[in-house]
Amino acid sequence: MTAINTNVNSLVTQNALRKNEVEMSTAMTRLSTGKRINTAADDAAGMAIASRMTSQIKGLNQAVRNAQDATSMVQTADGATLEISNMLQRMRELSVQSLNGTNTANDRVALDTEFQALLLEVDRVAENTQWNGRNVLDGSVDVAQSEVNHGKIATSAVNTTTNKVTLNGHGFADGQVVKYHDGSGTALAGLANNTDYFVVGATTNDFQLATSSGGTAIGLTGTGNADQWFGTTAPAHLSYQVGANSNQTVTMSFGDFKTDSAGGVYGSAINYWNIKTESAANTALSGLTTSINNVNAQRATFGSTVNRLAYAIDNLANVSLNAEASRSRVEDADYAQETSQLARTQIIQQAGTAMLAQANALPQTVLALLK
């Protein structure tokens, strides 16, 4: 059939060129951006997967930077405590010297002059060592933790014969400190409200209480009330976010190195020590031995945390690398495939244009019939 109102061949060619134009545009976009997925229409599921992976990768990379900052902070504290340790060693040396019977009272006063100067410097270092504007050795950087309520203890869960308290899956360990709360009701006979006790005889679901670690279990002569509970509080510490998701942290306590802190690293306040007499020097010597051991233990915590953070950084970098490789397989364009696609569509475009010219010229043959 020969017709001029509807040029079917031209319409078919135009439609083919339109489809080819879309494919060529897609290929050019992918080659321009380097991504296989540029809009949700390219691959809706793939776009969602790539977006989640991007969030994970960015979180991991930031976690690496967090861990590196944390390492710097801990190393700053460790460097300062090294000097504190050196000063305590010198103070101990002076204490030993003061104890010698060859010294006169004036000699001991002279020795105490250096001893007191070192004591002041220990306190100055503790109060002035900072990282990023925050003091790290005066106890202020450690964040106090909230008390955790481990659940109500029913009266039926208290056994006055065995002195055991039943709390399924309590997670307590022997020697752990727990605080009893009577819930504003009748206190469990044998215990006092808001008082700390030590766990003894702990099993999976039962435990006993003592007034000292490893001590004798307290006799329970009453069952208390249905609202009573035990709480635990973790030591004050600082948390470092070393993961891409919540609760992926490393925690560490920096401790309080001030000389007047009774609950600090030294085990007691040391600002009152002197070596002016044999008795005072003997007291200082005994206390310094304990203090040096405690400082060494805290420095061990610093060192182990730095090593832990180093391994965390290596792991995070490795996970980030693998996540980027996974995202690349989902999102990135295959240049070999896309260049082949572009070449194909360009050839088809040229051929289609030539065929469109032929299709448009075909109706002119009708004029020959009208002569």
Side-chain angles (χ1 to χ4, degrees):
M1 175 181 178
T2 302
I4 60 172
N5 282 341
T6 304
N7 191 338
V8 176
N9 292 329
S10 176
L11 294 176
V12 169
T13 304
Q14 290 176 46
N15 187 52
L17 283 171
R18 180 186 57 77
K19 291 181 179 180
N20 186 72
E21 179 69 24
V22 171
E23 292 180 2
M24 184 168 60
S25 176
T26 299
M28 293 179 68
T29 300
R30 289 174 176 175
L31 289 170
S32 299
T33 63
K35 293 183 177 182
R36 183 181 68 86
I37 304 172
N38 292 284
T39 66
D42 293 333
D43 185 347
M47 184 194 67
I49 294 170
S51 179
R52 287 196 298 270
M53 286 185 174
T54 298
S55 297
Q56 188 76 0
I57 292 165
K58 288 182 178 294
L60 289 167
N61 291 339
Q62 182 59 55
V64 169
R65 294 191 290 273
N66 288 355
Q68 290 170 337
D69 289 342
T71 299
S72 299
M73 186 177 187
V74 177
Q75 287 175 333
T76 298
D78 183 47
T81 53
L82 170 61
E83 298 308 319
I84 289 177
S85 179
N86 290 339
M87 287 187 283
L88 292 176
Q89 292 284 9
R90 175 56 181 164
M91 290 165 64
R92 189 180 188 281
E93 183 181 3
L94 292 170
S95 299
V96 172
Q97 184 177 357
S98 179
L99 282 170
N100 196 1
T102 62
N103 292 311
T104 65
N106 288 336
D107 293 335
R108 290 192 174 95
V109 169
L111 292 170
D112 187 62
T113 299
E114 182 182 354
F115 186 93
Q116 295 302 322
L118 290 171
L119 201 58
L120 289 172
E121 183 59 15
V122 167
D123 199 54
R124 190 193 69 82
V125 170
E127 291 184 342
N128 291 279
T129 300
Q130 294 186 335
W131 189 87
N132 194 30
R134 300 180 67 186
N135 290 353
V136 293
L137 295 180
D138 63 356
S140 63
V141 73
D142 292 328
V143 179
Q145 304 301 302
S146 301
E147 186 175 9
V148 177
N149 185 338
H150 289 270
K152 294 181 179 180
I153 306 295
T155 55
S156 59
V158 179
N159 190 322
T160 56
T161 301
T162 61
N163 300 318
K164 291 183 178 180
V165 177
T166 299
L167 181 61
N168 292 336
H170 53 71
F172 300 150
D174 286 350
Q176 184 174 356
V177 176
V178 296
K179 179 171 288 188
Y180 172 71
H181 297 272
D182 62 15
S184 300
T186 302
L188 201 163
L191 305 182
N193 185 43
N194 290 327
T195 303
D196 289 336
Y197 296 97
F198 292 86
V199 174
V200 293
T203 61
T204 303
N205 298 318
D206 300 322
F207 62 94
Q208 296 171 306
L209 300 164
T211 56
S212 61
S213 182
T216 303
I218 297 172
L220 304 177
T221 57
T223 58
N225 69 89
D227 291 325
Q228 61 195 350
W229 56 280
F230 288 94
T232 56
T233 304
H237 60 256
L238 192 64
S239 296
Y240 295 120
Q241 178 68 29
V242 292
N245 304 310
S246 60
N247 299 320
Q248 295 179 341
T249 61
V250 169
T251 61
M252 192 200 73
S253 297
F254 279 82
D256 186 351
F257 286 81
K258 297 196 304 294
T259 58
D260 61 350
S261 297
V265 171
Y266 311 118
S268 63
I270 66 173
N271 59 330
Y272 64 90
W273 286 348
N274 68 81
I275 55 173
K276 293 180 180 179
T277 66
E278 285 190 30
S279 176
N282 193 60
T283 299
L285 178 60
S286 177
L288 280 165
T289 300
T290 300
S291 296
I292 290 170
N293 289 336
N294 290 348
V295 170
N296 289 339
Q298 185 61 35
R299 288 196 64 205
T301 299
F302 292 154
S304 60
T305 302
V306 168
N307 289 338
R308 181 181 179 184
L309 289 170
Y311 285 114
I313 290 170
D314 290 342
N315 179 63
L316 289 167
N318 183 56
V319 174
S320 177
L321 173 62
N322 290 324
E324 288 196 51
S326 299
R327 182 183 63 177
S328 176
R329 286 189 285 270
V330 173
E331 184 182 53
D332 290 347
D334 183 341
Y335 266 68
Q337 178 181 342
E338 297 305 328
T339 52
S340 297
Q341 176 74 349
L342 179 62
R344 184 185 70 83
T345 54
Q346 287 177 331
I347 292 172
I348 291 175
Q349 182 188 42
Q350 293 174 18
T353 302
M355 291 305 100
L356 180 61
Q358 293 294 326
N360 289 338
L362 187 60
Q364 297 180 6
T365 59
V366 176
L367 295 175
L369 297 177
L370 298 177
K371 290 181 180 179

